[in-house]
């Protein structure tokens, strides 16, 4: 319900700020009309997208990962089928693409709601359960804000990268755009892997089961690193065929191959930092998780790209992200190690109760001793 309230606020704020946002994002006179038509429809229907995502996360948190996957397949499948129908057959153009996206999200949302209505879920979505409880909302925001900032900073950093790439010419801008889209495939898989182990990390931490907590994180890192290394090898060995799937320009392909190699170097470190970031979120450590999120997209990245670009030119520019990923992985590992050591040294609930009982016993015995 809180997500729904946020969605309404974002809808009206988004429509009011949309023209300015599109200009900042680089819309030209030729593309502004298309961008506005698509974005306006998406923003007006964004409550469907946000609730669809929120309901999916609620189900994933209680372990219903299969149902979440089915809901995503249903929504995405409908979107894929409706796109050519609306765009080509009904001649709706970019508007048709936006409408198809909203319909897909709406159907996915209905699937999740029916799952709850049929009492197959452990939780209730009844309005009677909703209240403005600051303790609950503070926990939601403490974990949610780092993730939100990470998504916002991803968009902001992409715009920042473009602003520097422009100084090297349109060829570099085109190559960077294609490479970033290709690189997003393994990154999405790494995010999915980290998100998948998040509930188990939360359960283990809540139960003070340190062994299972460490085993889960170790398993997530192994799986994530394996995925990252596989894609890194693909990017290093087959950069040109991958880029040629998007464009057949010799200059773009040559520059794109260099950029792809630089991105591939940093891929293994992304899996590590993603696992530790969601681990800290699941443990309720919003501050460290926020720092890690901000570091990869801003705190470390912006100084890295500015310094390396000024010192080494184009090579420094393309290796800035990999350098950032390395240092962010080290930072995330350090945070986790410090927090885990502090947790290990803190007394357990049983020890606290034993100390309290011992204190009461001493209070009863001491008058007799006197």
């Amino acid at each position: 319900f809180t997500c729904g309230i946020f969605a309404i606020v974002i809808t009206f704020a988004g429509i009011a700020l949309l023209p300015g946002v599109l200009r900042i994002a680089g819309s030209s006179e030729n593309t502004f009309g298309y961008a506005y038509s698509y974005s306006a429809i998406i923003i007006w229907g964004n409550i469907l997208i946000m609730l669809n995502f929120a309901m999916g996360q609620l189900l994933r948190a209680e372990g219903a990962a299969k149902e979440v996957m089915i809901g995503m397949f249903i929504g995405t499948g409908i979107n894929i089928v409706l796109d050519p129908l609306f765009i080509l057959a009904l001649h709706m153009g970019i508007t048709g693409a936006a409408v198809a996206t909203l319909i897909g999200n709406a159907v996915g949302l209905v699937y999740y709601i029916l799952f709850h209505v049929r009492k197959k879920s452990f939780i209730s979505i009844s309005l009677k359960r909703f209240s403005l409880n600051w303790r609950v909302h503070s926990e939601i925001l403490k974990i949610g804000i780092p993730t939100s900032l990470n998504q916002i900073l991803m968009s902001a950093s992409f715009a920042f990268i473009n602003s520097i790439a422009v100084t090297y010419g349109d060829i570099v801008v085109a190559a960077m755009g294609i490479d970033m889209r290709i690189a997003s495939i393994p990154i999405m898989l790494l995010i999915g892997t980290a998100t998948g182990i998040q509930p188990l990390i939360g359960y283990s931490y809540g139960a003070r089961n340190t062994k299972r907590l460490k085993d889960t994180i170790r398993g997530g890192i192994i799986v994530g690193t394996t995925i990252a290394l596989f894609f890194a090898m693909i990017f290093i060995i087959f950069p040109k065929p991958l880029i040629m799937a998007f464009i057949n320009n010799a200059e773009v392909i040559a520059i794109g191959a260099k950029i792809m190699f630089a991105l591939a170097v940093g891929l293994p470190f992304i899996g590590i930092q993603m696992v530790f970031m969601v681990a800290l979120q699941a443990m309720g450590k919003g501050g460290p998780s926020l720092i890690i999120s901000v570091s990869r997209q801003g705190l470390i990245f912006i100084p890295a790209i500015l310094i390396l670009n000024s010192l080494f030119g184009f090579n420094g520019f393309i290796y800035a992200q990999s350098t950032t990923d390395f240092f962010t992985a080290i930072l995330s590992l350090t945070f986790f190690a410090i927090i885990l050591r502090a947790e290990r040294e803190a007394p357990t609930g049983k020890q606290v109760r034993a100390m309290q009982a011992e204190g009461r016993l001493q209070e009863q015995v001491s008058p007799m001793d006197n």
Side-chain angles (χ1 to χ4, degrees):
F1 287 107
T2 304
C3 184
I5 294 170
F6 273 121
I8 293 171
V9 173
I10 289 171
T11 296
F12 290 102
I15 291 297
L17 299 173
L18 182 57
V21 170
L22 293 178
R23 295 295 185 193
I24 293 172
S27 259
S28 65
E29 293 300 325
N30 294 327
T31 61
F32 182 85
Y34 297 109
Y36 188 90
S37 297
Y38 182 86
S39 301
I41 293 172
I42 292 295
I43 291 174
W44 278 117
N46 99 95
I47 190 170
L48 298 173
I49 298 173
M50 290 181 66
L51 289 180
N52 178 26
F53 186 78
M55 295 288 285
Q57 295 302 312
L58 285 175
L59 289 177
R60 181 178 283 113
E62 64 177 75
K66 184 178 74 174
E67 284 70 23
V68 177
M69 182 180 67
I70 293 172
M72 291 176 65
F73 275 135
I74 291 173
T76 306
I78 289 174
N79 190 357
I80 292 172
V81 171
L82 292 181
D83 269 335
L85 176 64
F86 288 171
I87 296 171
L88 302 176
L90 299 180
H91 305 290
M92 295 174 65
I94 198 72
T95 300
V99 172
T101 298
L102 292 183
I103 292 175
N105 277 272
V107 175
L109 175 60
V110 169
Y111 173 81
Y112 294 143
I113 292 175
L114 289 176
F115 185 83
H116 284 281
V117 170
R118 292 170 183 168
K119 308 297 184 184
K120 294 184 177 181
S121 171
F122 293 115
I123 62 174
S124 169
I125 57 171
S126 171
L127 184 58
K128 293 185 295 183
R129 303 283 184 179
F130 177 71
S131 63
L132 293 173
N133 186 323
W134 172 243
R135 184 181 64 82
V136 174
H137 283 81
S138 65
E139 290 297 318
I140 294 172
L141 295 174
K142 184 167 64 176
I143 297 173
I145 286 175
T147 305
S148 302
L149 283 176
N150 187 48
Q151 296 297 319
I152 292 169
L153 287 170
M154 281 179 66
S155 299
S157 67
F158 189 73
F160 184 68
I161 290 170
N162 271 348
S163 68
I164 296 179
V166 166
T167 62
Y168 292 104
D170 291 340
I171 297 295
V172 173
V173 174
M176 179 64 74
I178 292 170
D179 284 351
M180 294 290 282
R181 283 168 176 78
I182 295 172
S184 69
I185 297 172
I187 291 175
M188 291 299 175
L189 289 173
L190 295 174
I191 292 173
T193 301
T195 305
I197 65 173
Q198 191 171 27
L200 187 55
I201 292 173
Y203 303 151
S204 303
Y205 179 74
R208 301 297 294 270
N209 190 335
T210 305
K211 182 181 183 304
R212 189 172 66 179
L213 176 68
K214 290 181 177 179
D215 289 343
T216 302
I217 292 174
R218 187 182 299 111
I221 291 175
I222 291 172
V223 173
T225 304
T226 302
I227 293 172
L229 287 173
F230 171 77
F231 276 94
M233 292 302 297
I234 295 295
F235 291 171
I236 292 171
I237 298 172
F238 305 109
K240 293 184 178 180
L242 290 172
I243 298 169
M244 288 175 65
F246 293 84
I247 195 170
N248 194 21
N249 182 293
E251 290 183 276
V252 173
I253 293 170
I255 294 294
K258 294 181 180 179
I259 297 173
M260 188 169 289
F261 182 88
L263 294 175
V265 171
L267 268 180
F269 303 112
I270 298 177
I272 297 171
Q273 63 182 266
M274 289 293 178
V275 169
F276 282 120
M277 186 173 70
V278 300
L280 292 170
Q281 289 175 354
M283 295 163 65
K285 310 300 180 182
S289 178
L290 175 61
I291 294 173
I292 295 171
S293 300
V294 174
S295 295
R296 183 176 189 269
Q297 305 298 337
L299 197 63
I300 296 177
F301 175 67
I302 291 178
I305 196 170
L306 290 174
I307 294 171
L308 293 177
N309 184 59
S310 63
L311 291 177
F312 305 106
F314 178 71
N315 286 331
F317 167 64
I318 63 176
Y319 280 94
Q321 186 66 72
S322 297
T323 304
T324 301
D325 289 330
F326 171 75
F327 284 109
T328 305
I330 298 298
L331 179 66
S332 61
L333 176 61
T334 303
F335 271 135
F336 182 77
I338 293 172
I339 291 171
L340 200 62
R341 183 190 306 165
E343 293 285 342
R344 189 167 52 247
E345 294 174 353
T348 64
K350 184 183 293 185
Q351 290 171 331
V352 170
R353 289 191 294 272
M355 287 187 290
Q356 290 173 340
E358 184 179 349
R360 288 194 296 269
L361 182 61
Q362 288 177 349
E363 290 176 2
Q364 294 173 0
V365 172
S366 57
M368 295 175 63
D369 291 340
N370 293 333

